[in-house]
Amino acid sequence: MRKVETCLLILALLFSGCVSPIQTTQESKDIRVELKVDTTTIPAGGKLGVTMSIENYAEFAISNITAKVYGPPGWEGDIGVNRTYGKLDPYGTGFEFNWTLRAPSDVTYKKYYKIFGDIRYKGYARKVVTITGVSYDYYKRTKSGSGFSVSESLGGPIEIDIVPSQSQLIAYEADTLPFKFSVIISNKGNGKPCSDYECKNINKVIFNFSRLTQNVKIACEKGPGEINLIKSGRYAHFECSGNLTNVKEVSTQLIGFIVNYTYMETLSSPTITVEPVSFER
């Protein structure tokens, strides 16, 4: 549904320690997390094994991975204990983080619980926009095309989409050619982006842009710096504009966009049934 909402938005703009390595293979570019338990029924005071896994199918490395679990009052063990890992390479690598918890020992009737976990990591999204403009004389002679092209997505939960306002870029008189496009930063995952690692600034990212070639000028309504994602952290939308300079015949220029973020997801276990211990006389 969230991907559909993002696509509709674009269309509207167009027309308007305890860590174990695991190896995986997957076609998509998601970063996937999961919380699992080794059993869903235990006796009072019994032990429960909890595993949180993270798998990186994106085309960039994620870093500063931190995970912890927490439970209802009365549970003991590794509650709130952080497990960390420095870096997880792209293209289908993963890790598992493990904890051991102990259920309350004073349960006198069957009770039901859930275990929760948080996991966060640093990631980024990046796009390179190629803008080609031509002089009017060159266009008349060659009928060669002009316009915008955008590099492919690196994957991950945060995406940058570019929506051009012009289909062709032709300099009719001067050698300066203006351009304009929309930038959409969208959260396609199930968690929340943060602009800081401790996630005190939720639903925010750090946005930056730069020209990668000389004969282009660019300015955006937002950035560089921290940007709020509206609609509960789902997306940000703003305009960028600029000029190709020194367009003699053909001018191809590049602009880079990058969004840095910490991403945090909260997970929950299946229902855990804790049964009282019966004593036979």
Side-chain angles (χ1 to χ4, degrees):
M1 179 60 70
R2 287 166 180 160
K3 292 182 180 179
V4 172
E5 290 174 352
T6 302
C7 291
L8 290 174
L9 176 60
I10 294 171
L11 287 172
L13 288 166
L14 284 171
F15 296 98
S16 92
C18 293
V19 180
S20 304
I22 55 177
Q23 295 291 329
T24 59
T25 57
Q26 184 72 19
E27 291 297 324
S28 68
K29 298 180 181 180
D30 296 334
I31 297 170
R32 300 188 179 184
V33 296
E34 184 181 11
L35 189 152
K36 299 176 287 186
V37 293
D38 60 3
T39 182
T40 56
T41 302
I42 57 175
K47 290 184 179 181
L48 178 71
V50 180
T51 297
M52 198 181 304
S53 62
I54 179 167
E55 297 169 313
N56 183 15
Y57 304 122
E59 294 183 1
F60 59 90
I62 58 176
S63 61
N64 294 74
I65 305 162
T66 299
K68 68 177 179 180
V69 295
Y70 48 94
W75 285 75
E76 298 177 346
D78 296 333
I79 296 290
V81 175
N82 285 334
R83 306 289 190 218
T84 62
Y85 194 79
K87 181 180 177 182
L88 193 56
D89 290 328
Y91 306 113
T93 60
F95 283 94
E96 290 184 344
F97 303 84
N98 301 291
W99 298 261
T100 299
L101 308 184
R102 187 181 295 274
S105 58
D106 58 351
V107 172
T108 56
Y109 58 92
K110 188 181 293 186
K111 285 189 175 182
Y112 304 95
Y113 299 91
K114 278 186 177 291
I115 304 300
F116 297 90
D118 287 338
I119 188 166
R120 68 181 188 267
Y121 55 86
K122 285 187 175 181
Y124 63 90
R126 184 180 65 221
K127 286 286 178 73
V128 175
V129 179
T130 302
I131 307 175
T132 301
V134 298
S135 69
Y136 181 62
D137 288 341
Y138 183 85
Y139 176 73
K140 283 196 303 182
R141 294 197 316 269
T142 66
K143 303 300 181 184
S144 296
S146 60
F148 297 80
S149 63
V150 183
S151 61
E152 292 186 0
S153 169
L154 300 179
I158 302 298
E159 186 57 88
I160 307 170
D161 290 297
I162 307 295
V163 183
S165 300
Q166 304 141 277
S167 58
Q168 291 197 12
L169 293 169
I170 302 172
Y172 288 95
E173 295 181 0
D175 61 357
T176 298
L177 181 54
F179 60 83
K180 185 178 181 180
F181 52 82
S182 298
V183 176
I184 304 169
I185 302 172
S186 54
N187 175 11
K188 298 183 177 180
N190 296 317
K192 298 288 187 182
C194 311
S195 60
D196 64 308
Y197 183 66
E198 298 299 328
C199 275
K200 295 179 180 179
N201 299 314
I202 297 177
N203 295 333
K204 298 180 180 181
V205 297
I206 302 297
F207 169 71
N208 208 346
F209 58 90
S210 61
R211 59 180 192 171
L212 305 180
T213 50
Q214 186 173 4
N215 293 324
V216 61
K217 295 180 179 179
I218 176 73
C220 294
E221 291 178 336
K222 297 184 179 181
E226 188 176 78
I227 289 181
N228 293 315
L229 272 61
I230 63 173
K231 298 291 185 181
S232 300
R234 300 323 305 174
Y235 73 93
H237 163 234
F238 51 92
E239 303 294 326
C240 294
S241 60
N243 292 285
L244 301 184
T245 60
N246 197 31
V247 182
K248 300 304 182 183
E249 287 201 336
V250 180
S251 177
T252 298
Q253 306 297 323
L254 298 129
I255 301 171
F257 295 88
I258 189 165
V259 172
N260 290 289
Y261 57 87
T262 294
Y263 204 75
M264 182 174 69
E265 293 194 45
T266 298
L267 309 172
S268 64
S269 72
T271 299
I272 309 298
T273 303
V274 178
E275 298 181 331
V277 176
S278 58
F279 297 95
E280 295 183 0
R281 294 184 178 180

